[in-house]
């Protein structure tokens, strides 16, 4: 996967962490719902940006080509890293029902946002 694909996975990991924390700190449930909503709004916009790169609406950003260079020690290792083929954010390597995973992430993020906003708005009715 490209770097943006990897970054798009972060909100799901954060949501698992927050939902787990929610079981410990139940009195902050409404705040955690709000935080989850904000996380998936970020995921939605990041996915739209990635989709725009896939479709050619936006140019690839520096994030698409960055590799972890903190452990490079010698110039030979740097040359080897530069000779490797980097995965472009434009390339769609996997599709499900003709949709890229970025497209599916847009849809899922939007559905999750709508559900979370509905839960947040009706929170007091649900808790009664």
């Amino acid at each position: 996967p490209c770097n943006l694909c990897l970054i798009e996975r972060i909100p799901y990991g954060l949501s698992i962490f927050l939902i787990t924390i929610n079981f410990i700190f139940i009195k902050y449930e409404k705040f955690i719902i709000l935080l989850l909503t904000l996380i998936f709004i970020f995921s939605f916009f990041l996915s739209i940006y990635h989709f725009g790169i896939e479709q050619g609406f936006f140019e690839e950003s520096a994030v698409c080509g960055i590799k972890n260079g903190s452990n490079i020690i010698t110039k030979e290792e740097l040359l080897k890293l530069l000779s490797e083929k980097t995965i472009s954010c434009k390339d769609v390597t996997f599709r499900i029902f003709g949709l890229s995973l970025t497209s599916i992430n847009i849809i899922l993020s939007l559905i999750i946002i709508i559900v979370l906003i509905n839960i947040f708005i009706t929170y007091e009715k649900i808790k009664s």
Side-chain angles (χ1 to χ4, degrees):
C2 71
N3 286 344
L4 279 177
C5 290
L6 295 174
I7 293 170
E8 287 177 34
R9 297 174 185 176
I10 293 172
Y12 295 99
L14 282 174
S15 66
I16 291 169
F17 175 74
L18 285 173
I19 291 168
T20 305
I21 293 295
N22 185 47
F23 288 115
I24 298 168
F25 302 106
I26 296 175
K27 66 180 180 178
Y28 298 111
E29 193 171 51
K30 195 170 181 180
F31 174 73
I32 290 174
I33 293 168
L34 181 62
L35 196 55
L36 284 169
T37 305
L38 294 174
I39 287 170
F40 279 100
I41 288 172
F42 169 77
S43 174
F44 177 74
F45 284 113
L46 181 64
S47 297
I48 286 178
Y49 175 67
H50 191 184
F51 182 76
I53 290 174
E54 285 179 357
Q55 299 301 315
F57 300 136
F58 307 121
E59 292 293 321
E60 283 186 280
S61 67
V63 174
C64 294
I66 293 175
K67 291 242 183 190
N68 185 5
S70 62
N71 54 2
I72 298 173
I73 299 171
T74 65
K75 65 180 179 180
E76 289 80 18
E77 290 177 358
L78 180 60
L79 288 172
K80 182 182 174 190
L81 183 64
L82 289 173
S83 67
E84 292 177 4
K85 184 180 184 248
T86 58
I87 298 171
S88 173
C89 293
K90 290 181 188 178
D91 299 334
V92 179
T93 55
F94 187 73
R95 292 184 184 272
I96 299 175
F97 302 117
L99 298 172
S100 70
L101 293 179
T102 301
S103 304
I104 293 170
N105 195 35
I106 291 171
I107 296 166
L108 283 176
S109 294
L110 188 59
I111 291 170
I112 292 170
I113 290 167
I114 291 168
V115 168
L116 286 170
I117 288 173
N118 188 27
I119 291 171
F120 185 79
I121 290 172
T122 60
Y123 180 79
E124 298 304 326
K125 292 178 188 175
I126 294 172
K127 292 305 277 185
S128 300

